Amino acid sequence: LDNLGFKQLKISVNLSASQFLDPDLLPFLREQIKAFSRNPAQIELELTERTLVADVEQTLDTMRQIKQLGFIFSIDDFGTGYSSLSYLKQMPVDIIKIDRSFVSGMSDNSADMQIVSSTIAMVQKLGMQVVAEGVETSEHMRLLQDLNCEIGQGYFISRPIAESELYTLLPEKIQYGVWDKLDKLNTKP
């Protein structure tokens, strides 16, 4: 990515509960930052709500230590787990990703719409960034824009791309630091 001129892109890495609770995670992350001369702020570690509540005290301690290194944390699939809002405000989380099940239902289910709307407002008031997962239609995009959602991800924006294709697509798709969704990828069955 650096060689293509994308030195400031952020990479997200999903961590399972066992990976996150592994005592070797912190030393491993330190080692990788040093070995590859990476800025940890370019690496977003994604955790599910279930991972966060597995052992709250250990989770908070581990998160704080990793956060001190400069990594970014996101909670993936928000709304599907069991996290308490009191834990959420204690955790050093930067990004909340609203689960696709709520986003996909918001255009024809008022409860889903209210959940998405409330979650966006709450997350922004807490000073975190919000991402809507499962954006699959222009209507989803419009509704999310009306709710002041900052970021969306899903098939409407881009289908999954194989790593072998990604490096040739990036130079033509990233415009001013943002993925240009107007492409042939969205017309594939």
Side-chain angles (χ1 to χ4, degrees):
L1 292 173
D2 286 353
N3 293 339
L4 291 173
F6 298 106
K7 296 178 189 272
Q8 298 306 314
L9 285 184
K10 183 173 60 175
I11 301 295
S12 296
V13 178
N14 289 304
L15 290 178
S16 69
S18 62
Q19 290 170 321
F20 183 70
L21 297 174
D22 185 333
D24 292 328
L25 177 63
L26 193 59
F28 174 78
L29 292 173
R30 281 191 186 112
E31 208 175 272
Q32 297 307 304
I33 293 167
K34 192 174 182 179
F36 294 100
S37 302
R38 291 290 87 181
N39 176 357
Q42 289 180 268
I43 303 168
E44 174 187 331
L45 301 175
E46 291 189 13
L47 305 168
T48 64
E49 284 182 85
R50 288 181 181 93
T51 299
L52 296 173
V53 298
D55 181 343
V56 175
E57 290 308 313
Q58 182 180 355
T59 296
L60 286 171
D61 184 52
T62 302
M63 286 180 84
R64 288 181 185 125
Q65 290 181 57
I66 293 172
K67 189 75 174 159
Q68 286 177 343
L69 295 176
F71 287 89
I72 295 169
F73 278 109
S74 67
I75 299 178
D76 197 19
D77 302 332
F78 186 78
T80 61
Y82 312 103
S83 69
S84 159
L85 294 179
S86 66
Y87 292 140
L88 181 61
K89 69 179 187 178
Q90 293 177 49
M91 293 183 179
V93 173
D94 305 281
I95 301 163
I96 300 292
K97 296 185 170 191
I98 303 171
D99 187 67
R100 67 181 310 282
S101 63
F102 301 112
V103 174
S104 66
M106 70 182 182
S107 56
D108 52 325
N109 183 315
S110 63
D112 284 344
M113 180 63 158
Q114 189 57 52
I115 289 168
V116 171
S117 175
S118 299
T119 302
I120 291 170
M122 175 194 66
V123 168
Q124 290 174 339
K125 284 191 186 333
L126 289 172
M128 300 175 205
Q129 196 169 47
V130 65
V131 176
E133 298 180 309
V135 179
E136 296 182 1
T137 67
S138 60
E139 183 179 10
H140 291 158
M141 183 68 87
R142 184 189 55 74
L143 290 170
L144 290 164
Q145 287 171 330
D146 290 348
L147 295 172
N148 297 314
C149 184
E150 299 158 340
I151 300 172
Q153 70 181 56
Y155 285 177
F156 181 72
I157 297 159
S158 177
R159 299 242 180 225
I161 300 168
E163 182 181 4
S164 60
E165 297 173 36
L166 182 64
Y167 301 112
T168 56
L169 281 175
L170 277 176
E172 69 184 62
K173 298 310 303 168
I174 300 289
Q175 301 295 320
Y176 308 106
V178 177
W179 184 265
D180 178 9
K181 71 154 221 70
L182 301 174
D183 66 5
K184 298 178 283 248
L185 293 174
N186 292 314
T187 59
K188 291 182 183 176

